Amino acid sequence: MLKLDDVCLYYGRVHALRGISLEVPEGRIVSLLGANGAGKSSTLKVISGLCAPQSGDVRLNGESVQGRSCGDLVKNGVIHCPEGRRVFPQFTVEENLRVGAYRRIGNKDVDEDMETVFGYFPRLKERMQQKAATLSGGEQQMLAIGRSLMGRPRLLLLDEPSLGIAPKLVMEIFEILKRINKAGTAILLVEQNAHMAIRISDYSYVLENGRIGLEGDSAEISQRPELKELYLGG
Ligand code: ATP
């Protein structure tokens, strides 16, 4: 479904991505692990069209995304759920969700999709008219994921969903990600919480200084000493 081939990205003189090649097959969960500054968020930005790589190729279902706008990629089901949630604090839960379906304003199916989101996140239904600013960190993350679902993703790019969230809620969110995936959405998951990411993903890549340092089936890669030492606490 998604294929990156030798992608390089510079921010001015900073060489953030140094030849990234990776794949996300249809319907799979793939995780992208690595330390701070390794280039994980930049990889997602290149895929969703927020950053244009200087070289290399990003292909979606065999077609290059070069020159395509973020809006065009959203239409094709590529939805980016950014790091730090970025919910609209003064909008209610409902308004935030509707923003995620901005391409379909007024359509009846928007309400149906909202019910689907509430099926995954009943807490959001209970707080429908509450301003996003007043939600807990975990609930805001649920809202950010819910807003992404309103865009009907075929490929969900998810940046650090566990960041700053209580462990119990992290478990809950990861269980829901599995359900979202089972319902047909492929997920590229950026995480610092390697334990959780490896547990739910089929395949994992580890980024080191803008390069893929390690990759493999998640079950297999979790046994490798270098990963255990660096990311799984020995
Ligand atoms: P984190 O886990 O801390 O979010 P990351 O793995 O997602 O890190 P990126 O945010 O992709 O890493 O950053 C990769 C490199 O690019 C870093 O050295 C970072 O300082 C640099 N970088 C990212 N965004 C910009 C920018 N807008 N301008 C200049 N440099 C940037």
Side-chain angles (χ1 to χ4, degrees):
M1 165 174 230
L2 174 77
K3 197 164 193 271
L4 270 63
D5 191 19
D6 206 15
V7 167
C8 287
L9 175 75
Y10 289 85
Y11 296 105
R13 293 166 72 176
V14 176
H15 198 174
L17 302 181
R18 299 166 180 258
I20 300 290
S21 299
L22 61 79
E23 284 184 47
V24 181
E26 188 95 47
R28 294 297 171 92
I29 304 183
V30 172
S31 57
L32 193 54
L33 313 171
N36 284 121
K40 304 178 299 296
S41 299
S42 299
T43 303
L44 295 193
K45 287 177 186 167
V46 156
I47 298 166
S48 63
L50 285 170
C51 288
Q54 276 75 18
S55 63
D57 202 14
V58 179
R59 291 188 169 264
L60 193 63
N61 300 316
E63 280 183 30
S64 175
V65 305
Q66 201 184 357
R68 286 167 73 177
S69 67
C70 295
D72 186 32
L73 291 166
V74 167
K75 252 189 236 166
N76 282 277
V78 179
I79 309 283
H80 190 157
C81 187
E83 185 175 355
R85 304 151 203 157
R86 307 277 185 94
V87 293
F88 298 101
Q90 294 310 316
F91 285 8
T92 63
V93 166
E94 180 180 357
E95 287 162 346
N96 268 279
L97 290 176
R98 288 194 186 277
V99 168
Y102 74 97
R103 290 185 301 113
R104 299 180 285 130
I105 288 170
N107 284 12
K108 255 199 353 234
D109 57 14
V110 172
D111 290 339
E112 286 164 23
D113 288 355
M114 201 133 52
E115 285 308 317
T116 305
V117 170
F118 292 147
Y120 289 122
F121 302 110
R123 280 163 188 261
L124 295 182
K125 185 162 193 171
E126 291 159 18
R127 293 162 174 78
M128 217 164 135
Q129 298 311 323
Q130 194 171 322
K131 288 209 170 141
T134 64
L135 297 174
S136 74
E139 289 161 0
Q140 287 189 16
Q141 185 62 63
M142 292 176 180
L143 180 56
I145 296 170
R147 182 181 58 190
S148 298
L149 295 179
M150 294 298 289
R152 298 194 162 178
R154 291 184 53 219
L155 172 64
L156 180 59
L157 308 171
L158 202 49
D159 202 343
E160 301 266 12
S162 75
L163 200 69
I165 293 176
K168 194 167 161 270
L169 272 192
V170 171
M171 299 280 274
E172 194 178 321
I173 288 173
F174 273 67
E175 284 307 313
I176 292 164
L177 291 180
K178 276 204 283 196
R179 283 171 54 202
I180 291 168
N181 170 251
K182 283 223 167 74
T185 301
I187 299 176
L188 179 55
L189 173 66
V190 160
E191 258 302 334
Q192 296 226 7
N193 187 335
H195 275 290
M196 292 298 291
I198 282 177
R199 241 175 70 184
I200 69 160
S201 60
D202 302 293
Y203 200 87
S204 297
Y205 295 90
V206 182
L207 268 181
E208 291 164 4
N209 291 322
R211 290 194 177 87
I212 305 286
L214 204 63
E215 67 176 278
D217 287 333
S218 296
E220 179 260 324
I221 204 174
S222 65
Q223 299 308 316
R224 294 208 209 163
E226 59 269 50
L227 189 88
K228 278 189 178 172
E229 202 174 298
L230 287 173
Y231 300 102
L232 298 175

